Amino acid sequence: MQTPYFLIDSEKIEKNLKVLRGVMDRTGSKILLAQKCFSCYALYPLVGKYLAGATASGIFEAQLCHEEMMGKENHIFSPAFREQDIDAILSICDHIVFNSPAQLLRYGERAKKAGLQVGIRVNPECSTQEGHAIYDPCSPGSRLGTKEVHLREYLHDCKEKGVSPCLDGIHFHTLCEQNSDDLETTLNAIEEKFGDILHEMKWINFGGGHHITRADYDLDRLERCIKRMQERYSLAVYLEPGEAVALNAGTLHATVLEVLPKGDDGVSNVILDTSAACHMPDVIEMPYTPPVLHPTLAEEGEDGFRYRFGGPTCLSGDVIGEYTFKEKLSEGDEIVFGDMAIYSMVKTNTFNGMPLPDIYISKEGISSLWKHFSYSDFKARV
Ligand SMILES: *Cc1c(COP(=O)(O)O)cnc(C)c1O
């Protein structure tokens, strides 16, 4: 196995899926995979065994679900749909969520005629996350979701004209890596702003950002939240997590190409054959420091060997993070980054002509190559 490569552990995915399935079974809710986080379609049959289906951010992901998760629910949301895509979308999806009354007016009736369930994404104007404005759809100036005043205007206009609002459901997505206390806070805002409208709906979609498979996640509170919407408004409840499906289920393996001499700050730069900018852009975008699972890190307070990992690209900011190890590193050592199944493979790029990591899938201790990338993948895209 040549580095860099991703290794997806299908047993760990299945373990997550069992937790999600437990929530579905205990509450009667439906959980969908948000494909934008994890599109490893080799495992879609496994995902389809446990979950109700998948959700897409656009026509390509919808097509992927249609082809690879046959017979399961196929939902789609986009901030704006294109005329040239809509017929194909309506022929393969069963739920479509619009971002605005204008999109609903443009496509809603066609979607209903094609037999789809139609929803609108709302903005409850309730921020529950700090510091990550780029992941907060309730941040000021957000383009995501319809605010209460605009939804009410739309519903009022429909009534005046005596036309159907073409609405079956309400969708919101405001969380990111959060626990169910923040979901509860958000539901309070949803009820306060949209409670009377919910009575007219068939379903509500809680979006993603629920870290359901994390060890400290409060499942009981989540299930109380689901039951509250089912009982108060007779709604079917959907959730569409991405991260929770593939949390801690994959690794990225890299090799040390060079250890540079210690700098003025006492830290040695290490060049790896992987790159934050190309293989894990969230490290720079979010930003965060990915965990290293191998070699062994020094204990808290223990002296060790401190290194700054960087990629072989032109970007001085292509830094993965700083780590202190028990042992000295040298050329040829393997480095294993953890939690690399989510928002990694779906975000890779070939900037600087960087080779894309191959993708392996492990099952019962055997790792099999699923995708190999080469020069032709780079050439096809530039
Ligand atoms: C990103 C996103 C999700 C999935 O979010 P996770 O944080 O991966 O759980 C679900 N729904 C919508 C609309 C999204 O934008």
Side-chain angles (χ1 to χ4, degrees):
M1 289 162 80
Q2 239 183 38
T3 63
Y5 64 87
F6 289 107
L7 176 59
I8 308 304
D9 184 332
S10 60
E11 273 118 12
K12 287 189 175 152
I13 298 277
E14 188 160 18
K15 196 171 145 226
N16 288 340
L17 289 169
K18 284 186 170 150
V19 173
L20 297 171
R21 180 63 193 223
V23 173
M24 284 174 54
D25 288 343
R26 286 188 297 275
T27 60
S29 60
K30 287 183 174 175
I31 300 185
L32 311 164
L33 163 70
Q35 296 176 83
K36 71 162 190 220
C37 170
F38 179 72
S39 308
C40 181
Y41 59 85
L43 297 177
Y44 278 14
L46 180 68
V47 173
K49 217 173 104 185
Y50 291 92
L51 303 189
T55 189
S57 313
I59 185 167
F60 287 174
E61 287 182 355
Q63 191 172 336
L64 194 63
C65 170
H66 181 66
E67 289 174 3
E68 304 292 337
M69 218 186 282
M70 292 299 289
K72 307 302 286 191
E73 289 189 29
N74 195 357
H75 294 228
I76 190 167
F77 162 78
S78 173
F81 291 99
R82 302 190 304 175
E83 179 57 44
Q84 65 260 46
D85 298 333
I86 200 77
D87 287 332
I89 287 170
L90 297 183
S91 73
I92 55 175
C93 291
D94 40 74
H95 287 66
I96 187 165
V97 174
F98 297 108
N99 191 50
S100 66
Q103 284 271 301
L104 193 49
L105 279 170
R106 186 178 303 223
Y107 301 119
E109 218 176 285
R110 277 156 77 183
K112 289 305 302 171
K113 277 215 182 90
L116 278 79
Q117 291 275 310
V118 173
I120 191 161
R121 175 169 174 174
V122 297
N123 177 352
E125 299 173 73
C126 169
S127 286
T128 52
Q129 35 181 321
E130 287 153 29
H132 281 162
I134 76 160
Y135 294 107
D136 183 4
C138 296
S139 62
S142 173
R143 71 188 184 292
L144 300 168
T146 295
K147 291 184 179 174
E148 181 191 4
V149 359
H150 298 124
L151 182 55
R152 292 199 183 276
E153 256 170 41
Y154 170 75
L155 293 172
H156 178 80
D157 286 352
C158 289
K159 212 174 200 172
E160 294 262 287
K161 292 185 190 128
V163 298
S164 158
C166 290
L167 266 187
D168 304 295
I170 292 288
H171 176 289
F172 67 88
H173 169 71
T174 64
L175 305 180
C176 178
E177 303 190 337
Q178 281 163 280
N179 212 316
S180 43
D181 51 345
D182 289 330
L183 171 63
E184 197 165 55
T185 304
T186 303
L187 284 181
N188 293 342
I190 289 279
E191 284 199 88
E192 198 188 301
K193 294 197 155 70
F194 305 101
D196 57 323
I197 299 169
L198 291 180
H199 284 294
E200 313 291 316
M201 298 291 130
K202 297 195 189 101
W203 47 267
I204 184 166
N205 186 322
F206 290 0
H210 318 277
H211 246 192
I212 300 171
T213 49
R214 200 173 70 196
D216 69 342
Y217 190 85
D218 184 349
L219 279 173
D220 287 343
R221 190 185 299 270
L222 168 68
E223 292 174 17
R224 286 200 302 277
C225 283
I226 293 170
K227 286 184 182 145
R228 165 175 154 194
M229 300 317 269
Q230 290 170 329
E231 286 162 12
R232 265 186 214 165
Y233 304 97
S234 306
L235 292 167
V237 174
Y238 285 98
L239 291 95
E240 46 182 34
E243 293 204 4
V245 175
L247 204 60
N248 292 312
T251 44
L252 173 61
H253 299 244
T255 299
V256 172
L257 298 179
E258 188 174 353
V259 182
L260 292 167
K262 244 185 218 177
D264 297 337
D265 56 358
V267 181
S268 299
N269 280 308
V270 169
I271 318 255
L272 301 179
D273 63 356
T274 189
S275 149
C278 299
H279 300 158
M280 36 185 146
D282 268 2
V283 164
I284 296 171
E285 265 178 40
M286 195 155 187
Y288 81 108
T289 303
V292 165
L293 306 185
H294 177 86
T296 311
L297 292 162
E299 313 280 336
E300 194 71 20
E302 180 189 354
D303 281 343
F305 300 87
R306 186 138 183 98
Y307 298 102
R308 183 182 306 108
F309 286 172
T313 68
C314 69
L315 183 72
S316 49
D318 187 358
V319 169
I320 298 161
E322 284 189 21
Y323 305 89
T324 307
F325 294 97
K326 276 194 186 297
E327 312 280 342
K328 219 169 164 161
L329 289 186
S330 35
E331 208 176 287
D333 284 351
E334 191 186 29
I335 308 294
V336 181
F337 295 98
D339 201 14
M340 280 292 161
I342 55 173
Y343 293 108
S344 49
M345 297 172 289
V346 292
K347 284 194 150 191
T348 54
N349 64 78
T350 58
F351 182 46
N352 279 234
M354 274 294 287
L356 294 169
D358 288 342
I359 303 173
Y360 287 81
I361 298 174
S362 74
K363 199 182 165 191
E364 288 157 7
I366 296 165
S367 302
S368 319
L369 180 66
W370 179 52
K371 292 267 164 139
H372 172 64
F373 301 101
S374 62
Y375 171 67
S376 58
D377 295 289
F378 162 66
K379 194 175 179 190
R381 296 178 70 244
V382 286

